[in-house]
Amino acid sequence: MGTVIMHNVVSVDGFIADENDDVGPLHDWYFSGDTPITEDDDQRYDHSAVGSRFKVSRASAEYVRPMWETIGVIVMGRTLFDLVNGWEGQPPAGEHVVVVSHRPKPEGWYPEASYHFVDDVRAAIDKAQELAGERTVSVNAGDVGGQILAAGLVDEVAMDVVPVVFGSGKRYFGGIDGQHLLEDPHVVIRGDRVLHLKFEVRR
């Protein structure tokens, strides 16, 4: 099975958005560089929600590109799904999405899109690994991501740390209880206005 990676852009004080789900400057680095995430005219990583193609620093591109190319499935919560309308049925990476939700897929919503709605985090990871095969399962941080980490189902934590302090808002690890040890970072890459970190979860 592929690696399960919990991933998100985050402020230095650990928030992925403010109380109103506004990400503020957290994603600015995705559009402030001169290097497309893809080396050619591949449009897979266009960000249709804002009508602009991802362009980052060269250091960030060399990190983000291979990571995104390994993703087979994204696991997300219903709040994010509703906020971005499921990226209109076209995830930014991977071919499949698993949504953790007690509500079903909206009736008539992009029936051709490979989006699967489940009501339990363990079932979500089982479904994601079934769909991903040997490819990576990328778990969005937040409440659902924190639940998946607390359940012992996350292999690595990846953080794109942006130099901004939010003070309050939606936490990277959601409302997770207790301590969870990570190993020393095995990836530390400095981009422009972002620091890429990756940690293995200590078992």
Side-chain angles (χ1 to χ4, degrees):
M1 292 184 181
T3 303
V4 177
I5 299 178
M6 182 176 172
H7 174 242
N8 231 89
V9 182
V10 61
S11 68
V12 293
D13 56 342
F15 296 99
I16 58 175
D18 68 14
E19 292 92 340
N20 300 314
D21 293 304
D22 187 345
V23 297
L26 287 180
H27 293 178
D28 289 357
W29 65 274
Y30 274 127
F31 309 101
S32 61
D34 57 8
T35 307
I37 289 178
T38 50
E39 293 178 314
D40 50 30
D41 292 330
D42 189 342
Q43 299 296 304
R44 287 176 301 163
Y45 304 138
D46 277 11
H47 199 287
S48 58
V50 296
S52 178
R53 190 174 186 192
F54 288 125
K55 278 193 163 184
V56 299
S57 69
R58 179 163 296 281
S60 288
E62 290 174 355
Y63 166 73
V64 173
R65 184 184 300 130
M67 184 170 76
W68 282 19
E69 286 177 348
T70 67
I71 292 172
V73 181
I74 292 175
V75 178
M76 66 193 307
R78 185 59 182 252
T79 299
L80 179 58
F81 174 86
D82 288 341
L83 280 170
V84 300
N85 194 30
W87 302 295
E88 310 298 332
Q90 298 181 340
E95 292 78 40
H96 313 279
V97 174
V98 176
V99 182
V100 181
S101 175
H102 294 295
R103 290 177 286 139
K105 182 190 296 188
E107 188 173 349
W109 184 89
Y110 296 97
E112 74 287 352
S114 183
Y115 280 55
H116 308 265
F117 286 63
V118 298
D119 62 3
D120 175 80
V121 294
R122 289 186 179 275
I125 294 302
D126 286 345
K127 183 63 176 179
Q129 290 185 318
E130 173 192 330
L131 293 166
E134 296 301 315
R135 300 184 72 193
T136 298
V137 173
S138 177
V139 175
N140 282 104
D143 284 330
V144 166
Q147 291 171 37
I148 293 171
L149 177 68
L153 302 174
V154 172
D155 300 310
E156 295 183 11
V157 170
M159 309 176 89
D160 300 321
V161 184
V162 172
V164 60
V165 175
F166 271 34
S168 63
K170 304 297 177 71
R171 296 185 178 280
Y172 181 96
F173 292 102
I176 194 170
D177 291 325
Q179 293 185 357
H180 300 267
L181 293 177
L182 309 178
E183 301 294 351
D184 291 337
H186 62 278
V187 172
V188 180
I189 295 173
R190 177 180 160 185
D192 292 342
R193 303 294 296 169
V194 63
L195 178 66
H196 306 288
L197 301 172
K198 268 181 129 177
F199 310 81
E200 290 182 356
V201 177
R202 183 172 290 184
R203 301 298 189 189

